[in-house]
Amino acid sequence: MNTWLNLNFQNSASFIMEEMIFFYDFSFLVISLILLFVVYVMIFLSFSGFVSRYVLDNQLLESVWTSLPLIILLFLAFPSIRILYLMDEVRYPGITCKVMGHQWFWSYEYGDFKDIEFDSYMVYNLVRLLEVDNCFVLPVLIKVRLLVSSYDVLHSWTVPALGVKVDSVPGRLNQLNFSPNRLGLFFGQCSEICGANHSFMPIVVEIVTVENFSNWLINYL
């Protein structure tokens, strides 16, 4: 989960989030190099004595500063588009669940299993407002497809460690997918301003092994 004064992303808990962090680091490096180059040119020109003030034309330089930004944008565009397609690709999910937003709690339904659905309310804790009475339990290393909607107003199901954020809109069914790659508890909150208790509908996803998930299903039934 996130902590105070943490300027980085949370540790990834899904393959999509790993790709997003890698792309962020790569793009940050490219932007940093561009910034250093611009600062260097500004400082160099400040102390150059204007020795080139009579140069009125340089076609080679114009070609370079026209083509170089295009090449840089291509280096940023291709991995970005790849991640966008990975986020939208929902072929062959291992498990499908439905998430419904309410004022102000979440309800979960496991569509692949009969009669497994429950509500998840916040448990008031003075230390942090992220505890719930029923965690959303999912198996590790299984591709998960979520169908997200709402009963009343706009909500947003968001778990930063999993790299997922989708609006739950009344009358509309949105979907997302992710593959958890490590065990643990991962926290999120509604990211839409959905009313007076907007900040009191947290999300807790518990990633367990496939064996423990099977035992949880059996005990729940």
Side-chain angles (χ1 to χ4, degrees):
M1 61 176 293
N2 209 353
T3 57
W4 291 105
L5 301 179
N6 184 12
L7 301 180
N8 300 318
F9 289 106
Q10 299 181 25
N11 294 330
S12 65
S14 68
F15 297 105
I16 291 294
M17 189 59 186
E18 282 186 2
E19 294 290 335
M20 293 170 67
I21 293 176
F22 292 155
F23 175 70
Y24 170 80
D25 294 337
F26 171 70
S27 59
F28 186 80
L29 175 62
V30 172
I31 294 172
S32 299
L33 292 176
I34 294 173
L35 178 62
L36 289 175
F37 176 73
V38 172
V39 171
Y40 167 76
V41 170
M42 293 177 64
I43 295 175
F44 177 78
L45 292 177
S46 299
F47 296 97
S48 64
F50 302 104
V51 295
S52 301
R53 63 183 182 273
Y54 296 114
V55 177
L56 302 179
D57 180 57
N58 191 329
Q59 294 185 0
L60 177 61
L61 181 61
E62 292 180 1
S63 301
V64 169
W65 75 40
T66 302
S67 59
L68 187 59
L70 175 62
I71 296 173
I72 294 174
L73 288 176
L74 289 177
F75 271 97
L76 293 175
F78 282 115
S80 174
I81 294 173
R82 173 178 174 271
I83 294 174
L84 286 175
Y85 274 94
L86 287 176
M87 293 174 65
D88 289 335
E89 182 63 41
V90 200
R91 294 179 62 187
Y92 310 119
I95 181 174
T96 300
C97 301
K98 186 165 73 171
V99 180
M100 300 296 294
H102 304 259
Q103 289 182 316
W104 287 272
F105 63 94
W106 298 98
S107 62
Y108 300 97
E109 300 178 18
Y110 292 77
D112 298 326
F113 310 97
K114 202 171 184 181
D115 299 328
I116 298 183
E117 57 181 283
F118 55 86
D119 298 329
S120 180
Y121 290 88
M122 188 186 78
V123 176
Y124 285 90
N125 188 324
L126 294 179
V127 178
R128 57 182 183 179
L129 301 176
L130 293 175
E131 304 290 343
V132 297
D133 55 355
N134 292 310
C135 298
F136 184 33
V137 183
L138 292 173
V140 69
L141 299 178
I142 299 295
K143 189 168 186 178
V144 180
R145 176 175 65 177
L146 293 187
L147 305 176
V148 184
S149 187
S150 173
Y151 278 111
D152 36 55
V153 298
L154 289 175
H155 300 282
S156 183
W157 199 85
T158 307
V159 181
L162 297 174
V164 293
K165 178 179 180 179
V166 63
D167 288 337
S168 60
V169 183
R172 180 184 178 90
L173 202 62
N174 292 326
Q175 71 174 0
L176 57 88
N177 79 96
F178 59 91
S179 298
N181 59 4
R182 64 188 178 95
L183 306 177
L185 286 174
F186 304 101
F187 300 88
Q189 283 183 307
C190 176
S191 298
E192 195 73 55
I193 301 177
C194 57
N197 293 328
H198 150 70
S199 57
F200 299 100
M201 49 184 305
I203 303 160
V204 180
V205 180
E206 183 177 3
I207 307 300
V208 298
T209 62
V210 176
E211 180 181 359
N212 289 337
F213 181 72
S214 301
N215 294 333
W216 177 80
L217 290 176
I218 295 172
N219 294 331
Y220 191 91
L221 292 174

